[in-house]
């Protein structure tokens, strides 16, 4: 029969090794025992039955090594496990299940390979990878997927308060990753989604639109660059790209990556095979068509805006843009603001938001809604004209 004793520190320290391993059962806590090995090592174990009845399976998992945990800690853990068994639980099975739960690093890799690279564009995959490696993996990589709490997510988000846009984009990506874990992998339940309820930082939306006067200055500066009067950093192809962006509202990447096979002179449009929103048509005003007819086509290069290396397209026009905007005294204007300005001129001319959205290739009406306040301009002007006429008839302006 195994020995029995209350397993306290003093008692455990007093047990000496023998030629063979022997066990000592705790006198108070049923199932708790200590094993003493010939070389002096000692370890705590807990014995229990899974389910009821004598035929039930017996488990005896190791609680821990004496010295790593104390006798008192082993006693408390044995009591907790005993209570769990009385409730019908299986402590060792739950521990094994926990060990088999994938880590966040595994989830990040799975998301990039099975979702992002299959369904997103290369630029979006690049951004996702950057945020995962710089922000998410350092913060959560070693954690089990089921262990990430809303408090931990909120802590990461709060730590990025100095860069609210980056903080919110990181949070949005993490939310997408957990939705993938729930909907595609079934690794968590939707109710366990830890990003839900974490409040985003308010963002100041940048609203920079060119006025007619600023557009005129920009035109003069582009003419100087076209004549080579703004230095060697400017190129004719870069100037043509900037002009096409202003005239069409197209994105920078859509113009720089444009191929001659996508230019339909007969229909007066660009038939883009790929863009941020998929296939897309960009309609060309007469001035844009004129620019395209003046761009020389280079043998063995399918691109309109050619790069320095044979067969490539231009990938960077920041030097030309820097020289042009400096000459135009528009230092705060970004290339993407040209697209905003294109939309603003349409809104001020009284065009509807759906029409502007169609011109820009927006998939969501909410994206175009940022220009809603500009569409008030023609309505405001009409109200002023009518109001002036009515005021004159009423004699309200006679003393003004």
């Amino acid at each position: 029969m195994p020995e029995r004793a209350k397993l306290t520190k003093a008692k455990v320290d007093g047990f000496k090794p023998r030629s063979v391993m022997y066990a000592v059962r705790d006198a108070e806590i049923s199932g708790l025992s200590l094993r003493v090995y010939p070389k002096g090592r000692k370890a705590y174990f807990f014995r229990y039955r899974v389910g009821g009845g004598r035929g039930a399976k017996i488990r005896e998992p190791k609680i821990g090594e004496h010295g790593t945990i104390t006798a008192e800690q082993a006693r408390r853990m044995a009591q907790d496990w005993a209570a769990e068994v009385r409730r019908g639980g299986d402590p060792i099975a739950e521990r094994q299940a926990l060990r088999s739960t994938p880590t966040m690093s595994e989830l990040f890799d799975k998301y990039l390979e099975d979702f992002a690279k299959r369904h997103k564009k290369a630029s979006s995959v690049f951004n996702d990878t950057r945020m995962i490696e710089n922000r998410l993996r350092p913060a959560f990589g070693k954690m089990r997927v089921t262990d990430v709490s809303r408090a931990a997510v909120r802590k990461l988000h709060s730590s990025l308060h100095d860069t609210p846009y980056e903080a919110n984009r990181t949070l949005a990506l993490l939310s997408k990753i957990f939705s993938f874990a729930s909907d595609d992998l079934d690794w968590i339940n939707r109710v366990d989604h830890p990003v839900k309820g974490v409040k985003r930082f308010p963002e100041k939306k940048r609203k920079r639109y060119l006025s007619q006067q600023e557009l005129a200055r920009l035109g003069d500066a582009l003419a100087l660059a076209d004549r080579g009067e703004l230095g060697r950093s400017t190129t004719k192809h870069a100037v043509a790209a900037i002009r096409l962006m202003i005239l069409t509202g197209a994105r920078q990447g859509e113009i720089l990556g444009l191929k001659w096979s996508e230019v339909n002179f007969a229909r007066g449009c660009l038939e883009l095979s790929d863009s941020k929103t998929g296939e897309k048509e960009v309609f060309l005003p007469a001035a844009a068509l004129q620019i395209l007819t003046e761009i020389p086509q280079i043998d063995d290069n399918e691109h309109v805006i050619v790069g320095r290396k044979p067969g490539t397209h231009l990938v960077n026009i920041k030097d030309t843009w820097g020289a042009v905007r400096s000459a135009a005294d528009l230092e705060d204007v970004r290339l993407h603001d040209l697209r905003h300005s294109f939309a603003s001129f349409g809104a001020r001319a009284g065009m509807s938001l759906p029409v502007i959205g169609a011109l820009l290739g927006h998939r969501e009406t909410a994206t175009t809604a940022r220009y809603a306040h500009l569409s008030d301009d023609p309505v405001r002007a009409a109200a002023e004209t009518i109001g002036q006429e009515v005021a004159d008839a009423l004699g309200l302006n006679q003393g003004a």
Side-chain angles (χ1 to χ4, degrees), residues 108 127-141 156-157 159-163 166-167 169-171 173-174:
F108 294 145
N127 286 328
D128 284 359
T129 303
R130 176 185 61 82
M131 282 191 281
I132 286 173
E133 299 305 331
N134 293 346
R135 305 289 190 190
L136 298 179
R137 204 184 296 273
F140 304 118
L156 172 65
H157 186 244
S159 71
L160 303 174
H161 62 87
D162 289 337
T163 53
E166 178 78 3
R169 299 294 81 73
T170 301
L171 196 65
L173 174 60
L174 187 58

Side-chain angles (χ1 to χ4, degrees), residues 3-141:
E3 299 179 36
R4 285 185 176 274
K6 182 176 180 180
L7 297 177
T8 63
K9 182 181 183 305
K11 279 284 188 182
V12 172
D13 288 342
F15 291 124
K16 304 300 180 183
R18 301 173 186 171
S19 58
V20 294
M21 184 274 292
Y22 67 96
V24 181
R25 292 183 181 178
D26 189 84
E28 294 183 351
I29 302 174
S30 177
L32 174 62
S33 66
L34 175 77
R35 293 182 187 177
V36 183
Y37 296 89
K39 292 186 178 181
R41 187 169 61 90
K42 302 171 184 177
Y44 300 98
F45 287 80
F46 181 71
R47 182 185 177 92
Y48 67 94
R49 292 182 184 274
V50 181
R54 290 187 173 274
K57 187 174 182 179
I58 295 176
R59 297 188 189 275
E60 194 167 4
K62 181 179 176 180
I63 296 177
E65 295 278 337
H66 180 63
T68 302
I69 64 172
T70 66
E72 187 58 35
Q73 289 172 329
R75 294 175 68 81
R76 285 200 299 268
M77 190 172 294
Q79 288 172 327
D80 291 341
W81 285 7
E84 193 172 334
V85 170
R86 286 194 295 272
R87 293 192 296 268
D90 185 354
I92 190 59
E94 292 176 12
R95 289 173 70 193
Q96 290 171 343
L98 182 61
R99 283 196 296 269
S100 67
T101 302
T103 65
M104 287 297 293
S105 266
E106 293 174 279
L107 175 57
F108 294 145
D109 294 340
K110 196 81 172 168
Y111 167 80
L112 289 172
E113 289 298 322
D114 294 355
F115 184 84
K117 291 181 180 179
R118 294 183 184 181
H119 302 289
K120 289 190 168 187
K121 297 189 178 299
S123 58
S124 297
V125 174
F126 176 83
N127 286 328
D128 284 359
T129 303
R130 176 185 61 82
M131 282 191 281
I132 286 173
E133 299 305 331
N134 293 346
R135 305 289 190 190
L136 298 179
R137 204 184 296 273
F140 304 118

Side-chain angles (χ1 to χ4, degrees), residues 143-384:
M143 299 177 68
R144 301 288 176 185
V145 173
T146 52
D147 288 344
V148 179
S149 65
R150 187 167 289 110
V153 173
R154 190 176 286 113
K155 181 179 179 181
L156 172 65
H157 186 244
S158 297
S159 71
L160 303 174
H161 62 87
D162 289 337
T163 53
Y165 182 86
E166 178 78 3
N168 290 348
R169 299 294 81 73
T170 301
L171 196 65
L173 174 60
L174 187 58
S175 179
K176 182 68 178 177
I177 291 171
F178 273 114
S179 293
F180 171 72
S182 165
D183 300 344
D184 293 54
L185 303 178
D186 200 26
W187 285 3
I188 62 170
N189 295 322
R190 263 207 172 272
V191 293
D192 297 326
H193 197 311
V195 181
K196 289 182 178 179
V198 179
K199 190 175 181 181
R200 272 63 168 171
F201 290 125
E203 297 176 25
K204 291 183 179 179
K205 296 293 185 182
R206 178 186 168 99
K207 296 176 181 177
R208 182 63 168 96
Y209 311 107
L210 294 177
S211 66
Q212 287 281 3
Q213 293 80 7
E214 290 175 326
L215 196 58
R217 298 205 307 268
L218 181 58
D220 292 340
L222 285 168
L224 292 174
D226 206 17
R227 294 196 297 268
E229 297 181 25
L230 295 185
R232 293 184 178 180
S233 62
T234 61
T235 69
K236 286 185 174 292
H237 278 96
V239 170
I242 294 170
R243 283 174 169 159
L244 288 172
M245 289 170 61
I246 300 170
L247 287 165
T248 64
R251 297 179 178 89
Q252 178 180 339
E254 294 168 350
I255 296 299
L256 295 185
L258 182 64
K259 300 175 182 177
W260 284 112
S261 60
E262 297 172 320
V263 181
N264 191 327
F265 284 102
R267 294 186 60 231
C269 69
L270 306 179
E271 298 172 336
L272 303 181
S273 58
D274 193 21
S275 73
K276 185 177 180 180
T277 53
E279 290 186 4
K280 173 183 174 182
E281 285 189 343
V282 177
F283 293 97
L284 301 169
L289 283 168
Q290 181 63 32
I291 290 171
L292 286 166
T293 60
E294 294 173 355
I295 297 176
Q297 297 190 33
I298 309 299
D299 292 340
D300 300 324
N301 195 327
E302 61 180 344
H303 296 100
V304 176
I305 309 298
V306 299
R308 289 183 172 84
K309 294 182 179 180
T312 65
H313 66 79
L314 198 60
V315 296
N316 194 334
I317 58 175
K318 67 178 183 179
D319 290 338
T320 298
W321 176 244
V324 166
R325 73 177 183 180
S326 179
D329 192 22
L330 297 171
E331 296 288 0
D332 66 327
V333 177
R334 307 167 304 169
L335 278 167
H336 196 69
D337 292 331
L338 303 181
R339 179 172 164 85
H340 294 167
S341 297
F342 175 86
S344 74
F345 280 108
R348 288 167 182 163
M351 297 179 186
S352 68
L353 294 182
V355 169
I356 295 171
L359 289 172
L360 295 177
H362 288 164
R363 283 185 298 192
E364 303 293 337
T365 55
T367 309
T368 318
R370 73 182 74 178
Y371 307 109
H373 69 289
L374 295 172
S375 63
D376 291 341
D377 287 2
V379 178
R380 187 183 302 278
E384 181 63 30

